[in-house]
Amino acid sequence: MTVSALWVIVSAPAFSEDLMRECDRLAGSNFDPDLGSPGVPIKEVDGPRAKEACEVALREHPEVPRLAFQLGRSELQLGNPQRAMELYKKAASQGYVLAETGIGYLYDNGLGVPQDYKLAYAHYSKAADAGIGLGYNNIASLTKEGLGVEKDDAKALALYEKAIAAGYRDAAYPAARLKMMGFKPGDDPQPIIAAFRTAANHVAEAQTDLGQFYRDGSFGMPKDAVAARAHYAAGAERGDIWGKLFIAQMDAFGPEADAASKSRARDVLDELSRSEDKALQASAKALLATLLIDTQVDEASSLINAAVETQPDNPSVLSARAALLTKHGDYAAADALLLKASEADPVWGPYFQQRAEVQTKLGNTVLAGQLDAKARTAPMGGYFLR
């Protein structure tokens, strides 16, 4: 046997293993417990490089179903959902159950196929039945929203708990939110706080929510503006930019707001008003408009019009519109908008207080008193009440 022939025999398997490792590195799922490497979140998959590596790896090893799944992830990132579906189905047919979550995702979001929540639920369920946490999480989300299945918050919470037990730690946040939504006066608030503290270890938004609790003294937490700001800042640093908006809101409208803090808030809200997140953009424009109404009414009006174009039913936008109408003396129209805002966000006390002030101007002092009382018992926003 020649030296070159011996090199081929020895090196070919090693080269083949390298191909699979490269595909795993570039497109392996972070939800695959058997991957042997950390995996990559779908939005971070480098489509072109991953496709190149996974196509070669799959051609060499068509018997390895995870390679088909990973090539499908690459194709999805490249904007080819129909090809991704073909590859996901191939992987699932070979027994790679995690691929069922990919199939479900395409049906869930109508990517390459007609949107079908029932089919999404069915495919997610196959993954959940195999003990995959992501599968439990996704059927929990559909159950919470009543998409493809009857809406049932209690069942959704139980499914989120199963997702957590199966290793999907991000499910801790929606589970905490459901526990919060189910809270009634007289309930022990400690399990809710504990749930958010656990979720904050993995999800930035939970850190931000803890800031809300400290700001308003919700769920038995002490009112602590310094702690609130610290949690908001930590959430923002970890990727939840809403934390920046909430700090700006405190600077602009809190009991300790002054010219310097309002100027600081204006700069931040101006920056956030250009966010790609439509809800954040609209909220920032609405808060900035509210800040400017008394001194720069024309600029405030322009901001409100822009916010309405972005997200007309956002409660913050409705509140800002009502503030502008109040300034112009159109109290009835302002009241109608505030009623809509308080129905959309019934836990936010300032909407009730703002409406109470409008009702006072309309001469309805009894209703104004009732609304003010409701504002003071609302779970959120107490920090901003006058």
Side-chain angles (χ1 to χ4, degrees):
M1 181 180 293
T2 67
V3 174
S4 60
L6 179 63
W7 183 88
V8 170
I9 293 172
V10 173
S11 66
F15 176 67
S16 182
E17 289 296 319
D18 286 345
L19 288 174
M20 288 198 292
R21 276 196 294 269
E22 185 67 356
C23 179
D24 290 344
R25 184 181 72 82
L26 292 169
S29 172
N30 49 318
F31 301 118
D32 185 344
D34 301 321
L35 186 63
S37 62
V40 186
I42 183 64
K43 292 182 180 179
E44 296 178 17
V45 170
D46 183 336
R49 292 180 63 206
K51 178 178 179 177
E52 182 180 3
C54 293
E55 277 186 331
V56 177
L58 182 60
R59 188 162 55 246
E60 291 289 321
H61 292 282
E63 79 285 358
V64 180
R66 87 167 179 277
L67 298 176
F69 175 66
Q70 290 168 186
L71 180 55
R73 299 180 93 221
S74 308
E75 293 285 7
L76 185 59
Q77 279 299 91
L78 290 169
N80 304 320
Q82 291 176 328
R83 177 61 176 149
M85 178 68 90
E86 293 172 8
L87 290 159
Y88 289 162
K89 286 183 174 180
K90 173 181 171 64
S93 70
Q94 292 179 280
Y96 188 75
V97 187
L98 183 60
E100 297 289 354
T101 64
I103 298 170
Y105 178 81
L106 295 176
Y107 280 120
D108 194 349
N109 293 277
L111 297 173
V113 292
Q115 190 171 52
D116 190 324
Y117 293 120
K118 288 186 178 180
L119 280 175
Y121 187 94
H123 284 283
Y124 289 149
S125 293
K126 289 180 182 180
D129 290 344
I132 294 173
L134 180 61
Y136 280 121
N137 178 81
N138 291 356
I139 60 173
S141 297
L142 291 175
T143 302
K144 178 171 71 75
E145 300 298 333
L147 298 174
V149 66
E150 184 178 354
K151 179 177 170 60
D152 188 329
D153 285 350
K155 184 177 179 181
L157 178 57
L159 288 165
Y160 281 130
E161 298 286 4
K162 287 185 177 181
I164 296 166
Y168 187 74
R169 298 178 299 177
D170 285 0
Y173 181 57
R177 297 282 300 180
L178 278 175
K179 289 178 181 178
M180 181 181 72
M181 290 166 58
F183 180 81
K184 301 181 296 295
D187 289 351
D188 180 5
Q190 289 308 306
I192 294 174
I193 299 302
F196 275 94
R197 290 196 186 283
T198 297
N201 292 325
H202 315 295
V203 181
E205 288 81 359
Q207 188 95 52
T208 304
D209 282 348
L210 285 170
Q212 307 282 52
F213 302 157
Y214 274 113
R215 184 195 62 200
D216 296 320
S218 305
F219 303 109
M221 298 289 277
K223 286 187 178 182
D224 188 333
V226 173
R229 289 173 181 273
H231 280 284
Y232 289 148
E237 189 169 337
R238 293 170 57 191
D240 183 19
I241 307 303
W242 283 89
K244 293 179 70 173
L245 181 133
F246 295 137
I247 292 173
Q249 188 178 31
M250 292 177 73
D251 283 340
F253 306 109
E256 298 178 0
D258 57 22
S261 69
K262 289 180 179 181
S263 176
R264 189 165 61 243
R266 179 172 180 171
D267 290 342
V268 173
L269 293 171
D270 181 63
E271 173 196 340
L272 296 177
S273 71
R274 294 185 290 276
S275 169
E276 294 182 2
D277 181 323
K278 289 190 179 298
L280 181 60
Q281 179 191 134
S283 296
K285 287 175 179 174
L287 290 175
L288 183 54
T290 304
L291 179 61
L292 298 177
I293 274 177
D294 288 334
T295 57
Q296 295 168 260
V297 68
D298 289 342
E299 184 174 350
S301 181
S302 295
L303 284 163
I304 290 170
N305 289 336
V308 169
E309 288 181 9
T310 303
Q311 204 170 55
D313 293 326
N314 182 310
S316 293
V317 175
L318 295 171
S319 173
R321 288 178 62 197
L324 186 61
L325 288 167
T326 299
K327 186 172 182 64
H328 291 310
D330 192 346
Y331 304 129
D335 184 66
L337 290 172
L338 290 168
L339 174 60
K340 189 175 180 180
S342 60
E343 288 174 344
D345 191 359
V347 301
W348 186 249
Y351 296 146
F352 294 103
Q353 187 173 76
Q354 188 181 359
R355 191 174 174 222
E357 292 168 354
V358 170
Q359 285 295 328
T360 298
K361 293 181 182 297
L362 288 168
N364 300 325
T365 55
V366 173
L367 179 55
Q370 293 170 347
L371 288 166
D372 191 70
K374 198 166 186 177
R376 297 185 188 285
T377 56
M380 305 293 288
Y383 178 80
F384 300 103
L385 297 181
R386 292 178 287 279

